[in-house]
Amino acid sequence: MNYKKIYSADIHNGAYLFYGREKYLIENAIKYLTVKYVKDTSAFNLTKLDGKTCSPSEIIDACETYPIMSDKKIVIVKDVVEFVSENDLNKSFFDFLDNLSDFVILIFWDRSNIKKTTKIYKYFKKKNRDMEFPKLKNIDLTNFVKGYLIRKGKKIKPFDVSYLIDMSNYNSRNEDITLLDLKSELDKIVSLNSSEVITKKDIDASISEGIDTNIFNFLDALMNRNAEVALIELDNLYKLNEPILKIFTMVIRQVKNFLSYISLKEKGYSNFEIMNIIGVKNFELKKISGMSKNFNKTFLVEFYDELLKADELLKTTSIEDKLIMESLIVKYCVKLT
């Protein structure tokens, strides 16, 4: 079922599965339902359960408790993938979902990537209560950008909207950028611009353009084994107030793109073919093509391996992320010198 039906249809009871890439859209949908049904009584009538730890019986108990000072109550089970993997959902549980009381809206929220072969997904699909929140396309994406800027008191021309979307890499197949990232970029552009109209110049001067430049400078210093300059560029990246994991992901992606471009060029592929293979826009390919001349394949392969090791550390240890990055720089810059 298209998630837009949440706003156009009268969803007032029953169980639903919310899933998809766009956490921002899911959060907005839940906020809409909360305001609509339990705005003034959410302390009593909004229950959130953790799929990693809750049991089917806990969900049943939460749904069977009557609402307080309201006609409705909402129960949300987060991380439904964890719930499904830990519990053997039998027929009695699905019978319970079929016979929910009229006062309950039960939402299973998948924040990972639910398999469409699971019983719970098939159940909601059959009932036409599977709400997918995918990445936006075309007019919906354009309307999101325009609408968000209007709410911030800004205007933007259609051509500049398209340019902003391209610059954000939201549509890149190889980039896991969501509306939360795009919203962050829009906030930065707004904060940097005091005039009413957002222009291409404002977009080019935004933080993301600075990130691209600094990442290039960062990689250039690393290739030349210049730890001092690399550490300065890392500090510059931090000063842009971007989450370290986002910066790290962008560095990995840039290294991967350079490596792919050089490898495919060696095999005789044209720029147009390479653009489609690695999944980037034409303007981004021009950047990669121009910058790739500054890097050699040996450097990119070696550093990509180091990045993967650092990625594992970032995800599995409590060591400060900046310290991990600084250690990576020092380790790599003294390597083979």
Side-chain angles (χ1 to χ4, degrees):
M1 180 186 293
N2 191 306
Y3 74 90
K4 293 179 182 178
K5 291 188 177 180
I6 292 173
Y7 303 98
S8 60
D10 186 19
I11 293 177
H12 53 82
N13 69 289
Y16 297 85
L17 173 65
F18 285 10
Y19 70 101
R21 283 280 189 87
E22 289 300 352
K23 178 183 176 183
Y24 183 76
L25 295 179
I26 294 177
E27 289 176 342
N28 278 352
I30 290 174
K31 187 182 298 182
Y32 168 81
L33 292 172
T34 300
V35 170
K36 182 176 181 179
Y37 291 113
V38 297
K39 179 180 179 181
D40 298 320
T41 63
S42 60
F44 307 105
N45 299 311
L46 178 61
T47 302
K48 296 180 180 179
L49 300 174
D50 187 348
K52 296 176 182 177
T53 57
C54 75
S55 64
S57 61
E58 288 179 87
I59 296 173
I60 293 171
D61 289 343
C63 291
E64 291 183 343
T65 303
Y66 282 94
I68 299 174
M69 296 182 291
S70 175
D71 294 330
K72 297 290 178 182
K73 73 177 302 181
I74 297 174
V75 177
I76 300 170
V77 182
K78 293 183 179 181
D79 297 316
V80 67
V81 169
E82 298 289 341
F83 173 74
V84 171
S85 65
E86 294 296 326
N87 297 284
D88 183 16
L89 302 182
N90 54 34
K91 184 177 182 298
S92 63
F93 184 75
F94 291 110
D95 287 342
F96 155 73
L97 295 181
D98 286 337
N99 295 284
L100 278 177
S101 300
D102 289 342
F103 59 75
V104 180
I105 299 174
L106 173 59
I107 298 170
F108 288 91
W109 179 2
D110 167 44
R111 297 197 296 181
S112 180
N113 185 23
I114 192 167
K115 293 181 180 179
K116 296 184 178 181
T117 55
T118 58
K119 288 181 182 179
I120 199 163
Y121 175 82
K122 289 180 178 179
Y123 169 83
F124 284 106
K125 185 69 175 176
K126 183 178 180 180
K127 297 290 183 179
N128 197 29
R129 292 197 168 193
D130 58 314
M131 295 284 189
E132 183 176 10
F133 295 78
K135 293 189 72 170
L136 297 184
K137 295 181 179 179
N138 304 326
I139 192 166
D140 285 336
L141 184 56
T142 298
N143 288 339
F144 172 83
V145 172
K146 289 169 62 178
Y148 192 82
L149 290 175
I150 287 172
R151 290 192 294 276
K152 295 289 183 177
K154 302 292 184 180
K155 297 178 182 179
I156 187 170
K157 294 180 180 179
F159 178 82
D160 290 328
V161 172
S162 298
Y163 181 72
L164 191 158
I165 290 170
D166 279 344
M167 289 296 293
S168 75
N169 285 323
Y170 181 87
N171 287 324
S172 174
R173 293 199 304 270
N174 285 351
E175 186 66 30
D176 195 20
I177 291 179
T178 67
L179 287 179
L180 285 172
D181 300 303
L182 182 55
K183 173 182 172 295
S184 177
E185 295 302 327
L186 292 173
D187 287 337
K188 290 167 193 171
I189 292 171
V190 168
S191 68
L192 291 171
N193 184 41
S194 58
S195 63
E196 183 182 5
V197 180
I198 300 295
T199 65
K200 180 177 180 293
K201 183 179 179 181
D202 300 317
I203 297 167
D204 286 337
S206 71
I207 299 297
S208 286
E209 186 66 16
I211 287 177
D212 283 343
T213 301
N214 280 318
I215 286 177
F216 169 67
N217 293 337
F218 175 65
L219 293 175
D220 189 55
L222 284 167
M223 188 187 70
N224 291 299
R225 313 290 196 206
N226 192 328
E228 182 179 358
V229 174
L231 289 169
I232 290 172
E233 292 301 335
L234 176 66
D235 193 55
N236 288 337
L237 286 167
Y238 268 82
K239 288 176 180 176
L240 295 175
N241 293 319
E242 288 287 353
I244 184 59
L245 284 177
K246 180 178 179 182
I247 292 171
F248 192 74
T249 299
M250 292 177 75
V251 172
I252 290 178
R253 177 177 180 270
Q254 200 71 285
V255 171
K256 188 176 180 180
N257 281 344
F258 284 141
L259 187 56
S260 297
Y261 179 83
I262 292 171
S263 298
L264 292 169
K265 258 309 184 188
E266 288 176 351
K267 294 178 181 178
Y269 286 89
S270 68
N271 277 2
F272 180 77
E273 291 172 319
I274 294 173
M275 180 177 69
N276 290 314
I277 291 171
I278 65 177
V280 297
K281 299 291 185 179
N282 184 52
F283 81 92
E284 190 176 5
L285 185 75
K286 290 179 180 178
K287 282 186 180 181
I288 295 169
S289 174
M291 292 178 179
S292 66
K293 298 180 179 67
N294 295 332
F295 301 109
N296 64 66
K297 196 172 180 180
T298 300
F299 160 78
L300 293 170
V301 171
E302 289 177 352
F303 190 57
Y304 189 70
D305 288 339
E306 297 289 351
L307 286 169
L308 294 181
K309 294 174 186 176
D311 184 46
E312 185 67 21
L313 277 177
L314 284 168
K315 293 176 179 177
T316 59
T317 70
S318 58
I319 302 173
E320 186 182 347
D321 48 30
K322 190 174 183 182
L323 182 60
I324 292 175
M325 290 294 287
E326 288 173 342
S327 298
L328 170 64
I329 291 169
V330 173
K331 176 182 177 181
Y332 191 76
C333 285
V334 300
K335 186 179 181 182
L336 299 179
T337 58

